[in-house]
Amino acid sequence: MAKELGTGALLLRDGPLRVSHESHNPVLIRIALACKEKEIGLAGISKRSTATWGGGHPLLPAVFGFAQAQAIKTPWWIRIDPAILDHAAFSQWQHGGMYIACLHPRSKGPLKIEIPVGTTNANEIMDRLAGCSADGRIPGYPYPLFDAHRTVALTEEIVEQVRGDLLGRLAEAGIDRQTYEILFKDYHDEFARY
């Protein structure tokens, strides 16, 4: 998308601007460089975060609670200094500065938003995010990401078809059901049966 978008566009990533494995890092670097070269705004949007501060206090509810207590009007955002965090996950592959934001008065809660380190127009990007977060379906969540989620959602029927196809191909390759379960079993499937 970064190659196809025009100058001044906004590219949203579902999730942080970091990767959890070194093999993915070059891809994210290429995306960030393409956005920088074409002056495309880039933001990573996360609905949840495990970030904590002050010895284990969850960051998102703490910031949200403070904003509510101070009656700060939405939209609002605040840059988070990484020094206050208890730890940083995969900091060696981190490409974004962290913000906590509430983009609409009817938001159910804040978002963690990451913008590339060194970005000089973070406020402009946040303003644009707020501008596309007033959709009545999920106020406070940028509607382009919501529409992307809906486009790629896998129905239960599709999941079962893929699972059946996979099991069939594994059986053809000589892998029996027990070996499959040892290698790939998801205990959540078992939990869901009860």
Side-chain angles (χ1 to χ4, degrees):
M1 285 307 303
K3 288 180 182 177
E4 294 178 23
L5 292 172
T7 299
L10 182 60
L11 179 61
L12 306 181
R13 181 180 195 273
D14 185 16
L17 294 182
R18 71 169 160 73
V19 296
S20 57
H21 191 275
E22 185 175 10
S23 64
H24 301 156
N25 201 41
V27 175
L28 188 53
I29 289 172
R30 282 195 306 270
I31 292 168
L33 287 174
C35 287
K36 186 176 182 177
E37 288 171 7
K38 293 180 74 176
E39 298 178 12
I40 294 169
L42 176 62
I45 314 292
S46 300
K47 297 170 282 305
R48 292 184 294 269
S49 175
T50 59
T52 60
W53 68 283
H57 301 286
L59 184 63
L60 265 64
V63 172
F64 190 66
F66 177 80
Q68 286 182 316
Q70 298 300 311
I72 297 172
K73 294 185 188 236
T74 57
W76 56 258
W77 51 85
I78 184 169
R79 186 184 160 287
I80 302 299
D81 183 340
I84 73 160
L85 299 176
D86 291 334
H87 61 66
F90 307 108
S91 59
Q92 70 273 34
W93 303 312
Q94 179 71 41
H95 300 283
M98 182 190 300
Y99 293 76
I100 305 299
C102 187
L103 300 172
H104 191 274
R106 292 193 334 261
S107 292
K108 291 186 179 183
L111 299 171
K112 182 182 86 167
I113 299 174
E114 294 185 8
I115 296 176
V117 174
T119 297
T120 58
N121 64 340
N123 283 334
E124 178 187 326
I125 290 172
M126 291 296 194
D127 281 335
R128 293 175 70 194
L129 285 171
C132 65
S133 296
D135 187 300
R137 297 171 294 178
I138 302 183
Y141 190 74
Y143 74 82
L145 278 182
F146 176 64
D147 287 346
H149 277 284
R150 293 180 63 231
T151 301
V152 299
L154 299 177
T155 64
E156 189 173 327
E157 179 182 324
I158 293 170
V159 170
E160 289 305 317
Q161 179 183 348
V162 169
R163 182 177 285 141
D165 291 349
L166 176 64
L167 288 172
R169 295 289 174 102
L170 289 171
E172 289 172 10
I175 298 174
D176 63 26
R177 179 79 181 201
Q178 184 176 15
T179 303
Y180 164 80
E181 289 184 1
I182 291 168
L183 293 172
F184 304 110
K185 182 86 171 151
D186 183 355
Y187 279 97
H188 293 95
D189 292 340
E190 290 297 315
F191 298 161
R193 291 175 23 163
Y194 298 98

